Amino acid sequence: MSWKLSAITSREAVEQALDRAEGWDETLVLAAFEVDPDKPDVWQLDAYCEDKPGDTERAAVAALFESDAPEIVAEELPDADWVSESQKGAQPIRAGRFYVHTPEHPASEEAGVTSFCIPAAQAFGTGQHATTAGCLEMLDTMRGDGIMPHTVADIGTGTGLLAFAARDLWPRARYTVSDIDPLCTEAVIDNALRNRIPLGTEPGKVAAMTAEGMDHKLLHARAPYDLLIANILAAPLIELAPDFAAALAPRGSVLLAGLLATQESTVRRAYRRHGLRLHKRIQRGDWSILWLRARYVG
């Protein structure tokens, strides 16, 4: 990618723009991030493209914003191997018993720690994002609380990292992972091979597919699930509430992330309508990680 279009605005506006990006033009790669930790409400949305962007590309980015679009600035990027550069800058992270690193860094040698190698180019899902690290912590908490799922699904899996971590905790369960983006399905397969995770439909193996939400015959065939994981965004989490509830086993668990703390009450309300109650939560910065259960356990 040699060019990018950037827009700086409020966190809420960027989150809403990402929610509207379904069916996004694949020639423009979106990324969003907090500009300054001291100003958590100021975010930047970037759209990367191979060629110099014109009016069409600017209009596409502007259309993601509900009202007046912020100023959109074009920038030509210097010629560089961005994958290698990003890997150099991505430091390993530790979350619960898990250690996530890029190929540029070695695995942990600490006893009792499981390492996963995920390329930094697959940005959302490396563990660098607070919600991903929070999910790893919550999975560890579930295991410590005695949760023993036999069937697990990771919806919007991204890199497959959360499913891999769950498999480390519960190696005999059946794992089904899906993402709406076929490139993510390819990434899951690549990362499974990289981390020696067996692929397939048998217990202890990971079955990966491309699907929108729960809309896949294998996802339906393998239900009900003892554990459903979804680290996506608030809007699709709300939309998927009835589907998740219908696919959940009695007393099953749902792990939700990708939502801001300010969105938590709305998400919880959507799931409460379908009989799911909050069991535990983690807050990392502005982000909430929720463990809901089909039957509340006090």
Side-chain angles (χ1 to χ4, degrees):
M1 299 298 175
S2 58
W3 286 82
K4 72 173 180 178
L5 291 169
S6 300
I8 297 178
T9 182
S10 69
R11 177 185 64 194
E12 181 181 6
V14 171
E15 286 290 320
Q16 291 175 352
L18 291 174
D19 287 346
R20 297 189 190 97
E22 184 175 349
W24 179 249
D25 181 354
E26 293 182 359
T27 62
L28 293 173
V29 178
L30 291 179
F33 55 93
E34 186 179 86
V35 174
D36 183 347
D38 294 330
K39 299 178 181 179
D41 193 48
V42 180
W43 276 39
Q44 180 168 321
L45 179 70
D46 289 339
Y48 293 86
C49 53
E50 293 182 0
D51 300 316
K52 184 176 181 179
D55 293 341
T56 300
E57 289 77 17
R58 287 178 177 272
V61 174
L64 293 174
F65 296 93
E66 188 173 31
S67 55
D68 292 337
E71 181 183 5
I72 298 172
V73 178
E75 177 185 354
E76 184 175 10
L77 303 174
D79 188 15
D81 182 347
W82 291 105
V83 173
S84 297
E85 292 300 319
S86 64
Q87 288 177 344
K88 291 177 183 176
Q91 296 301 311
I93 63 103
R94 172 75 183 271
R97 71 182 70 188
F98 302 109
Y99 181 85
V100 187
H101 64 98
T102 69
E104 296 290 318
H105 296 274
S108 173
E109 297 181 357
E110 185 179 350
V113 172
T114 300
S115 295
F116 292 109
C117 180
I118 306 291
Q122 302 164 2
F124 198 93
T126 62
Q128 302 295 340
H129 196 282
T131 61
T132 306
C135 284
L136 292 172
E137 288 184 21
M138 188 65 88
L139 288 170
D140 204 4
T141 296
M142 289 179 171
R143 181 66 178 85
D145 285 1
I147 296 298
M148 295 295 292
H150 300 289
T151 50
V152 180
D154 182 8
I155 308 302
T157 188
T159 64
L161 173 61
L162 297 182
F164 300 163
R167 180 187 171 277
D168 183 71
L169 297 168
W170 303 287
R172 297 182 180 179
R174 293 178 183 268
Y175 292 91
T176 311
V177 305
S178 68
D179 200 285
I180 193 172
D181 187 346
L183 294 178
C184 289
T185 308
E186 295 177 12
V188 170
I189 295 171
D190 290 343
N191 289 330
L193 296 173
R194 185 188 303 273
N195 290 279
R196 299 181 180 178
I197 306 292
L199 296 166
T201 56
E202 296 86 358
K205 296 184 178 181
V206 175
M209 69 206 66
T210 303
E212 182 175 357
M214 298 293 291
D215 188 15
H216 194 284
K217 61 182 180 181
L218 186 59
L219 283 168
H220 290 289
R222 306 192 84 179
Y225 296 98
D226 301 311
L227 172 60
L228 277 166
I229 303 168
N231 181 16
I232 42 180
L233 293 169
L237 287 177
I238 292 170
E239 184 178 348
L240 286 166
D243 293 337
F244 282 179
L248 199 63
R251 300 189 68 183
S253 296
V254 178
L255 173 55
L256 303 180
L259 61 141
L260 294 163
T262 54
Q263 300 168 320
E264 180 179 331
S265 61
T266 304
V267 173
R268 286 172 56 180
R269 192 179 309 118
Y271 282 81
R272 194 179 306 120
R273 295 192 192 103
H274 298 279
L276 298 171
R277 297 292 186 272
L278 180 69
H279 185 59
K280 287 188 176 181
R281 68 185 295 276
I282 294 172
Q283 185 165 340
R284 273 181 159 263
D286 295 321
W287 303 90
S288 293
I289 296 89
L290 308 179
W291 173 9
L292 309 178
R293 298 204 66 178
R295 179 182 176 186
Y296 180 73
V297 179

